Amino acid sequence: MINGTGAKIIGTGHALPEKVLTNADLEKIVDTTDSWIVERTGIRERHVAEAGTPVSEFATEAARQALEQAGVEAKEVDLIIVGTVTGDMKFPATACLVQAKLEAKNAVAFDLSAACSGFLYSLQVASALMRTNSYRRVLVIGAEVLTSMINWQDRDTCILFGDGAGAALLAPAEGQTGLIHSRLGSDGRQTDLLYNPGGGSLHPANLEPVAPDFPTIRMEGREVFRHAVTAMTKVLKQVLEEAEVSAEEINLLIPHQANLRIIEAVGKRFGIDKEKVYVNVDRFGNTSAASIPIALDEGRRSGRIKEGDLVAMVTFGAGLTWAAALHKF
Ligand code: COA
């Protein structure tokens, strides 16, 4: 195994909205069925925020839990990165709002936009900044209220997404632990497969008329599916090879929770037992940047991830973007 990057996760947390939207609830809104959704996606229910709930609320709660678990005070935090595409506002950065709520007055704070890859992108950026800028306590948060950009009349997309946040607190690693290796990838030629055109400088929100469904998610589902499996497989293979780690050595694989069929296809390509592949997409749907840190926290709190375990994480999202990381606890 190669030398690690010097950053280790020492605390995790996650937060979800209380309200649960089941497939049966969706049957009343759009022309769909529970059996179709379960068969095609594995999703049974998802948590959805009340309209107008800021994503910083979930991000802050997840961060508080991570700090508490690690016994670290907010004032010790040097850096906060929030991976999100559904920030409270266009500006300022949601990370600054989280900083204020936590009273983490000594932190530098910024957001990172990489859609569903937001958490793993932020993790790599954080570990690089820890090396170059000597940051010692860093909060990496993936947080989304994706339902704020959903067209509830579009059955192709509205069944897929849920809201929530997950956080990881990083500290300098000791010995052969922590973030061992990670790789990121992007392909801007494929932006048309998954995007939200509304409210940016291309279609400014201050110009009328804006069609009612304009600031919502557009997706070519089948194409996204195909690219997701290919990119996740490729980047995970690269990370394993470069780190000189075999798939058998992985104690737990946490894939981005977009679709059970994508998750199973990736696990299968590496010959990883189903029991070693983390799944919570049935309960939360696709929470974008939040999906991996939510799973990490669930895994650590339930004892599924133990000290000494090697955890592989792999993701894919709009951009297109993708990433994989290996972390030894
Ligand atoms: N309920 C019932 N029928 C639906 C439906 C729904 N919610 N959504 C689509 N359908 C219909 C389609 O209209 C189509 O009907 P047709 O055959 O009469 O044209 C049929 O189901 C099959 O549609 P298709 O798009 O081929 O289904 P699919 O097996 O590809 O599943 C997705 C659709 C969206 C679930 C799947 O493509 C997927 O998960 N893609 C990846 C999306 C994703 O993960 N995005 C985020 C990436 S981070």
Side-chain angles (χ1 to χ4, degrees):
M1 202 182 289
I2 61 172
N3 279 326
T5 67
K8 184 179 182 186
I9 295 172
I10 60 162
T12 51
H14 80 273
L16 296 158
E18 265 177 40
K19 187 176 165 193
V20 172
L21 189 73
T22 64
N23 291 350
D25 295 329
L26 280 167
E27 283 177 358
K28 295 179 198 136
I29 305 173
V30 280
D31 181 15
T32 190
T33 60
D34 172 56
S35 59
W36 191 96
I37 301 172
V38 172
E39 199 178 297
R40 304 287 177 125
T41 70
I43 300 166
R44 293 178 186 276
E45 57 188 37
R46 67 290 284 146
H47 289 245
V48 298
E50 295 296 340
T53 314
V55 72
S56 62
E57 195 175 302
F58 304 112
T60 304
E61 172 55 24
R64 273 206 186 103
Q65 290 176 16
L67 290 170
E68 195 185 312
Q69 192 183 62
V72 169
E73 286 185 54
K75 64 172 193 270
E76 296 174 63
V77 175
D78 306 302
L79 172 66
I80 302 170
I81 307 179
V82 178
T84 189
V85 291
T86 51
D88 288 17
M89 297 181 259
K90 281 276 170 206
F91 69 86
T94 295
C96 293
L97 304 170
V98 171
Q99 177 196 17
K101 287 183 181 180
L102 286 174
E103 297 185 41
K105 58 182 183 190
N106 297 312
V108 172
F110 63 87
D111 289 355
L112 193 153
S113 171
C116 300
S117 306
F119 178 76
L120 290 189
Y121 264 59
S122 300
L123 195 62
Q124 179 163 322
V125 170
S127 78
L129 285 174
M130 285 173 77
R131 273 202 307 273
T132 55
N133 292 40
S134 310
Y135 295 125
R136 295 184 59 79
R137 296 288 180 268
V138 175
L139 276 168
V140 176
I141 305 169
E144 302 285 11
V145 176
L146 268 193
T147 58
S148 65
M149 47 168 78
I150 273 176
N151 173 358
W152 292 104
Q153 263 93 59
D154 177 12
R155 68 176 184 174
D156 291 342
T157 53
C158 77
I159 57 150
L160 294 174
F161 300 104
D163 304 326
L169 180 68
L170 302 180
E174 283 155 20
Q176 270 287 355
T177 62
L179 190 64
I180 304 294
H181 191 38
S182 84
R183 283 285 178 194
L184 315 178
S186 321
D187 184 357
R189 293 168 304 177
Q190 312 283 356
T191 49
D192 287 356
L193 297 184
L194 186 54
Y195 65 107
N196 175 356
S201 49
L202 178 62
H203 298 292
N206 60 347
L207 291 187
E208 294 291 339
V210 176
D213 72 334
F214 203 60
T216 57
I217 294 172
R218 313 297 159 92
M219 187 183 72
E220 298 291 334
R222 236 175 293 180
E223 276 300 293
V224 171
F225 189 108
R226 198 172 61 77
H227 281 283
V229 176
T230 309
M232 285 165 84
T233 304
K234 201 169 157 192
V235 71
L236 182 57
K237 188 165 179 281
Q238 181 187 10
V239 162
L240 292 176
E241 278 174 7
E242 289 175 353
E244 296 172 13
V245 166
S246 69
E248 296 86 70
E249 290 175 78
I250 296 170
N251 298 102
L252 189 67
L253 172 65
I254 302 181
H256 169 48
Q257 304 288 309
N259 180 317
L260 185 60
R261 290 188 293 143
I262 296 176
I263 293 169
E264 288 180 346
V266 174
K268 217 168 160 185
R269 288 187 185 201
F270 289 89
I272 299 176
D273 289 348
K274 266 188 173 178
E275 303 75 65
K276 286 186 175 181
V277 181
Y278 201 86
V279 175
N280 63 15
V281 70
D282 51 328
R283 292 177 286 134
F284 305 142
N286 179 348
T287 57
S288 184
S291 95
I292 288 182
I294 289 174
L296 264 180
D297 186 46
E298 280 198 330
R300 290 181 81 240
R301 286 177 196 269
S302 67
R304 186 111 184 248
I305 301 173
K306 297 177 282 299
E307 279 305 296
D309 276 358
L310 185 62
V311 175
M313 298 168 271
V314 62
T315 192
F316 173 86
L320 298 176
T321 57
W322 55 86
L326 268 179
H327 188 284
K328 194 166 173 65
F329 282 91

